[in-house]
Amino acid sequence: MAGKTLNPDWGPQTLAVHAGEGVDPTTRASSPNLVMSSTFAPDEVAGFSARNRTGYEGFSYARLSNPTVAQLETKVAAMEGGEACQAYASGMAASHALLAGRLSQGDHLVISDTNYVGTAELVRDSLPRFGIEVSLVDTSDLDQVAAHIRPQTKMVWIETPANPIMRLSDISAVAALAHHMGVRDVAVDSTFASPAATRPLDLGADFVVHSLTKYIGGHGDAMGGAVIGRKEDLDALNLEATVHYGGVLSPFNAWLILRGAATFPLRMKAHQETAMAVAQFLEAHPAVKAVHYPGLPSHPQHELACRQMKNFSGMMTFQTNDTGDAIAERMVGDLEVIHYAVSLGHHRSLIYWIPTDMLMASTFRLQPEAQARYRSFAGDGVFRFSIGIEDADDICADLQRVLG
Ligand SMILES: *Cc1c(COP(=O)(O)O)cnc(C)c1O
């Protein structure tokens, strides 16, 4: 039956191709069907409210569930080794659903002080309006995490490697510490690492968040997000944060992401191989001051990267000796292979200049001490670079053209 195919003994490449898929019993279609129907005609009288549907397993309305989306959810849960997955319209819809669905007035959140800009602004600007207290912490430092946990702390949220400076956090150590201190939820935004590198649930996390827009979809043509975790927790989240907040994934996007996800393990091998070659080229380039790539021995947490990441992924940042503003200008006009654009994890290489002052003023707003730590990675700014799966020589030639 479609959506049910799953053998837990399969390897990651087989899972990526087959999990959640299967021959359609009616048409014998080998590839997943795209079911766009927003409503479904049940063969029994079923409850109307999401809270009043006990026992009914079928589809009723696409905000509650949809067959194509359900196939993707089965696949992504399998890739992360999780019991259940809930898909959302974007990574931010997934992050919001998890934060707002699990935290209430009076609860306290400990979260990385450096992370994806959308998440950073959501927890700084929106959550406090609902009475949720937030502490911004360098989660690569266990002592800092411990110092900020209090009885009201319901969640510790880490992002590793963290946008945009590629700072890692030790998932098993943070999860063990947080749980030991009585924290209910440890959530990991694993978008940069991807399940090819790290499976946070295996390391003790309770939830994993992905922007499916990035590596899992992989082709830059469909936004999506996902939360993966225990079935019991996801069922509860589904009732409120999916059905009532309503940020569900379009079946068409689910269908595109399903297709992208099938080649995910192969793409990640290519991303890593190309990224390593490009990182070495940049590290040797006279115009480049520093390269932060977890796969390079020069990364300050390379030892942790080797322990925690089975694939170093395709994300890196680098700093130049000359100001990045002028180089970014040249990139907009002169790059031939790499696109000067935000986003990441696509088959196509993407690069973007992120000046530290702008980030501090608009998004991170770090205190002097935390700002100094950020600047120790980022200096005046970094080029955030998502290495695609083109030939490394062509990417390097493109960089040579703009670095001078
Ligand atoms: C892109 C991204 C998000 C947000 O995902 P969208 O699909 O753009 O909403 C969240 N976290 C990280 C680490 C990201 O890179």
Side-chain angles (χ1 to χ4, degrees):
M1 166 97 168
K4 290 270 157 58
T5 310
L6 186 57
N7 178 340
D9 296 332
W10 282 339
Q13 291 183 196
T14 312
L15 278 176
V17 174
H18 289 284
E21 301 190 15
V23 174
D24 179 77
T26 309
T27 62
R28 308 300 299 161
S30 162
S31 298
N33 290 327
L34 170 54
V35 179
M36 288 300 289
S37 191
S38 57
T39 194
F40 298 82
D43 55 9
E44 60 183 279
V45 179
F48 186 70
S49 155
R51 294 188 189 280
N52 182 26
R53 295 167 42 77
T54 37
Y56 181 68
E57 294 287 328
F59 297 101
S60 64
Y61 188 56
R63 180 153 42 74
L64 280 60
S65 56
N66 165 283
T68 309
V69 176
Q71 289 190 276
L72 176 64
E73 289 169 341
T74 305
K75 192 186 289 290
V76 173
M79 291 163 88
E80 281 291 354
E83 285 175 11
C85 166
Q86 180 64 50
Y88 292 92
S90 66
M92 281 311 300
S95 300
H96 170 256
L98 183 59
L99 289 163
R102 298 290 289 181
L103 299 176
S104 302
Q105 185 178 25
D107 289 347
H108 174 241
L109 167 72
V110 169
I111 186 164
S112 174
D113 61 9
T114 303
N115 47 17
Y116 183 69
V117 289
T119 317
E121 291 173 7
L122 170 67
V123 302
R124 280 165 176 76
D125 299 336
S126 305
L127 293 189
R129 287 201 290 112
F130 297 94
I132 297 160
E133 289 192 52
V134 179
S135 294
L136 309 166
V137 170
D138 175 354
T139 53
S140 72
D141 179 349
L142 286 181
D143 293 338
Q144 267 205 50
V145 176
H148 284 86
I149 290 175
R150 24 172 139 138
Q152 299 80 6
T153 309
K154 287 282 166 54
M155 185 184 284
V156 172
W157 178 295
I158 54 186
E159 184 178 304
T160 179
N163 177 78
I165 53 174
M166 307 304 297
R167 189 170 71 195
L168 308 189
S169 292
D170 185 332
I171 298 171
S172 353
V174 171
L177 172 78
H179 288 142
H180 177 71
M181 292 182 73
V183 178
R184 187 192 57 196
D185 297 339
V186 172
V188 179
D189 183 336
S190 195
T191 299
F192 271 42
S194 93
T198 309
R199 300 212 311 185
L201 301 176
D202 295 346
L203 301 177
D206 303 284
F207 294 99
V208 182
V209 177
H210 278 292
S211 168
L212 301 174
T213 317
K214 314 293 172 53
Y215 283 112
I216 294 178
H219 294 76
D221 53 9
M223 297 202 80
V227 178
I228 304 99
R230 284 181 287 271
K231 183 171 184 323
E232 186 190 354
D233 293 336
L234 266 289
D235 283 349
L237 198 71
N238 192 9
L239 269 185
E240 179 175 347
T242 311
V243 176
H244 294 157
Y245 304 171
V248 293
L249 184 64
S250 146
F252 183 59
N253 283 21
W255 185 73
L256 285 169
I257 296 167
L258 265 172
R259 183 158 91 157
T263 56
F264 163 79
L266 302 179
R267 283 187 285 106
M268 292 312 295
K269 284 180 193 167
H271 280 297
Q272 170 177 251
E273 187 185 315
T274 308
M276 190 63 98
V278 174
Q280 284 163 353
F281 165 83
L282 284 171
E283 207 166 41
H285 197 285
V288 173
K289 188 153 87 186
V291 183
H292 287 293
Y293 180 59
L296 287 178
S298 60
H299 188 285
Q301 297 163 295
H302 181 62
E303 182 271 327
L304 172 59
C306 291
R307 205 159 20 95
Q308 185 164 280
M309 301 178 77
K310 281 203 215 117
N311 174 302
F312 295 120
S313 184
M315 290 304 300
M316 71 182 68
T317 58
F318 65 91
Q319 292 164 248
T320 48
N321 292 320
D322 292 344
T323 166
D325 294 314
I327 295 170
E329 289 284 335
R330 288 208 290 279
M331 286 178 172
V332 172
D334 297 347
L335 289 173
E336 289 176 5
V337 172
I338 307 162
H339 284 190
Y340 185 82
V342 295
S343 201
L344 56 105
H346 303 172
H347 56 338
R348 188 179 292 114
S349 292
L350 303 171
I351 199 163
Y352 211 73
W353 165 236
I354 303 180
T356 299
D357 286 343
M358 185 210 62
L359 206 57
M360 289 304 148
S362 62
T363 300
F364 288 164
R365 305 194 286 271
L366 296 177
Q367 297 305 307
E369 198 189 316
Q371 216 183 109
R373 271 197 307 273
Y374 181 90
R375 280 182 197 275
S376 75
F377 270 86
D380 296 340
V382 290
F383 287 94
R384 188 183 70 183
F385 195 6
S386 172
I387 283 77
I389 58 171
E390 304 97 335
D391 292 295
D393 287 349
D394 295 327
I395 296 173
C396 294
D398 227 10
L399 290 167
Q400 183 63 44
R401 197 170 293 130
V402 293
L403 289 174

